[in-house]
Amino acid sequence: MSMQTGRRVGVAFVGMGGAVATTAIAGIEMIKSGSNRLDGLPLAGVPVAGMADYKDLVFGGWDLNGDDLASAASGHGVLTKQDIENGAQVLKGITPWPAVGSAKFCKNIDGQNRIVAKDHREAVSVIANDLRRFRQESNLDDVVVVNLASTERWPDLSDPTLNSTAAFEKGLDSSDEAISPAMLYAYAAIKSGIPYANFTPSVAADVPALLELAKEMNVPVAGKDGKTGQTMMKTVLAPAFKARALHVDGWFSTNILGNRDGLALNDPNSLQSKLNTKGTVLDSILGYPVEDHLVHIHYYRPRGDDKEAWDNIDVTGFMGQRMQIKVNFLCKDSILAAPLVIEIARVLDLAKKRGDGGVQEQLSTFFKAPMVKNGHGPEHAFGKQEKMLRDWLGVN
Ligand SMILES: O=P([O-])([O-])O[C@@H]1[C@@H](O)[C@H](O)[C@@H](O)[C@H](O)[C@@H]1O
């Protein structure tokens, strides 16, 4: 059962017209109108004092495509006409705010709904103003920002601009090329005291400059890259192989998808960012390097949002005998992702209420490359991550 608490929590999405954001918004609006159940929402029915209810959430956000959300959603092919009639009509009345984009960071995705700003500093102030206006106009108690925009290329992490808050702030004034759109949103949110989550592989609040700022301002941040389908299965299976002492000789993962995410990843530079986050999960769980851990992603338009993942795992058991495991997950990308985004927003909002700032490691279960607090390696094993979250929430 879902009960409103009377609070109003705004969720501002970067990439609001995308398949994941429109699915999240439609799903929640349908919960409000009684035409959607709570399936797929991992924290539904978990009683946590102070946590916003699904019905308390109010949405806003930016997108380079200025179409209203109903038109955007019909292009993504995730929501059915029935879904829209059943309570997601509210999508028709929402249009995204102008957004920041850069072809230098994300080559395949463009749009005309752009923030007009003379430099990075001005772009940040427009974003911060959008957040202030959202809070006032929607009469919100609190706001959370979640990045759902298309994957950017990897930046040069050794660039001094990204390595201290002071240098980053100078870089805003000179529109330093090391600073990506994702970082501008993260900075604007943190500087406004608003919790920030990164559901994409783009580098954002995880640069030292912004980590330092989040810590100093005691603002909760979390990321990165939603762990939805193939990688989720990987982090469930690998601990089991370890427990049974089955040595993993190789793990071949491939997947196809044809949504806008797939289009963004069709650019080799954006793809590399995704491979960076997908490729890291195995070794720390198993305790040894899997030399033949191969990950492939292919943009295949006929599938749209219905991504399909195949895994072939080669293992060695007792007496050196070799075996294979095959996994074929026929997923729906946004249907898996949207509820996780909602839970991340609720937990970040709760962290803010509890005065818990900086990196929110308890959200590791929702990410492929979890951000961590004190420089130690991230925990990737699914069961341990779930325990971390439940311990932090104070539930069993
Ligand atoms: O979570 P997961 O299934 O391992 O990884 C997926 C990627 O393989 C896919 O290319 C991307 O479009 C999805 O959004 C998701 O990130």
Side-chain angles (χ1 to χ4, degrees):
M1 194 155 91
S2 170
M3 301 280 289
Q4 267 169 286
T5 65
R7 280 177 73 225
R8 287 173 62 80
V9 178
V11 183
F13 288 131
V14 186
M16 194 204 203
V20 177
T22 50
T23 305
I25 298 169
I28 293 299
E29 293 303 332
M30 290 166 70
I31 286 171
K32 289 180 187 171
S33 69
S35 57
N36 186 14
R37 305 190 329 189
L38 301 179
D39 296 328
L41 286 156
L43 299 179
V46 178
V48 182
M51 186 145 78
D53 185 74
Y54 303 112
K55 292 181 178 173
D56 297 335
L57 305 179
V58 177
F59 299 95
W62 307 263
D63 205 286
L64 288 168
N65 180 339
D67 290 349
D68 72 80
L69 298 192
S71 323
S74 70
H76 299 312
V78 179
L79 303 176
T80 62
K81 279 200 174 132
Q82 190 67 43
D83 290 334
I84 308 240
E85 275 159 28
N86 274 355
Q89 298 99 328
V90 71
L91 293 186
K92 289 185 191 142
I94 306 180
T95 46
W97 315 322
V100 185
S102 160
K104 287 189 184 146
F105 279 92
C106 186
K107 195 166 151 222
N108 284 357
I109 305 295
D110 201 5
Q112 301 311 313
N113 193 38
R114 289 181 168 271
I115 287 178
V116 182
K118 67 175 189 312
D119 54 21
H120 283 346
R121 175 68 74 185
E122 197 175 308
V124 161
S125 96
V126 173
I127 296 168
N129 270 333
D130 289 337
L131 290 167
R132 258 193 303 275
R133 202 190 52 244
F134 181 40
R135 187 191 287 268
Q136 279 163 8
E137 289 179 358
S138 302
N139 195 19
L140 304 170
D141 296 295
D142 285 291
V143 180
V144 175
V145 169
V146 184
N147 180 15
L148 296 176
S150 301
T151 302
E152 297 175 351
R153 71 158 168 81
W154 210 251
D156 175 5
L157 291 176
S158 66
D159 194 307
T161 304
L162 307 181
N163 282 288
S164 77
T165 308
F168 189 92
E169 294 194 328
K170 272 200 193 127
L172 290 178
D173 296 322
S174 61
S175 284
D176 195 307
E177 294 205 337
I179 300 177
S180 69
M183 294 175 205
L184 294 177
Y185 286 103
Y187 175 85
I190 298 167
K191 197 73 184 175
S192 308
I194 291 177
Y196 170 86
N198 184 8
F199 203 75
T200 82
S202 304
V203 175
D206 42 335
V207 290
L210 298 185
L211 282 175
E212 186 188 322
L213 183 67
K215 203 168 162 193
E216 185 194 310
M217 297 201 51
N218 204 36
V219 176
V221 293
K224 66 182 191 178
D225 198 6
K227 182 162 86 166
T228 57
Q230 186 169 51
T231 310
M232 188 269 286
M233 294 303 292
K234 204 171 265 184
T235 61
V236 168
L237 291 173
F241 299 148
K242 184 172 187 213
R244 291 295 158 95
L246 294 170
H247 185 273
V248 177
D249 305 318
W251 197 311
F252 177 82
S253 299
T254 188
N255 59 87
I256 55 174
L257 79 165
N259 58 12
R260 201 161 70 179
D261 193 18
L263 175 63
L265 298 179
N266 210 21
D267 168 42
N269 292 324
S270 290
L271 177 67
Q272 192 53 51
S273 298
K274 176 68 81 180
L275 297 179
N276 289 349
T277 58
K278 274 180 82 94
T280 55
V281 302
L282 273 186
D283 297 358
S284 71
I285 297 178
L286 295 168
Y288 53 86
V290 179
E291 281 176 30
D292 293 282
H293 180 200
L294 304 182
V295 182
H296 295 273
I297 300 173
H298 301 277
Y299 178 47
Y300 178 61
R301 289 185 303 168
R303 283 303 172 89
D305 205 65
D306 295 352
K307 75 177 172 190
E308 180 165 3
W310 292 267
D311 287 87
N312 170 79
I313 310 143
D314 283 282
V315 297
T316 300
F318 200 43
M319 316 284 290
Q321 298 275 347
R322 305 190 65 171
M323 295 166 264
Q324 291 181 354
I325 298 118
K326 313 275 179 187
V327 183
N328 180 199
F329 191 174
L330 287 95
C331 318
K332 286 186 184 287
D333 202 18
S334 303
I335 294 297
L336 291 173
L340 307 191
V341 168
I342 297 296
E343 301 301 21
I344 290 165
R346 294 168 75 218
V347 172
L348 274 188
D349 172 63
L350 182 59
K352 173 91 191 292
K353 275 190 82 184
R354 288 182 178 179
D356 192 349
V359 175
Q360 300 300 305
E361 227 169 298
Q362 75 280 8
L363 283 166
S364 297
T365 184
F366 297 130
F367 295 112
K368 292 191 185 74
M371 286 167 64
V372 291
K373 252 193 170 103
N374 296 319
H376 59 84
E379 178 57 68
H380 286 294
F382 190 79
K384 289 185 185 166
Q385 292 178 327
E386 284 291 303
K387 182 169 182 320
M388 245 199 278
L389 177 60
R390 280 166 191 268
D391 286 350
W392 186 88
L393 290 171
V395 294
N396 294 317

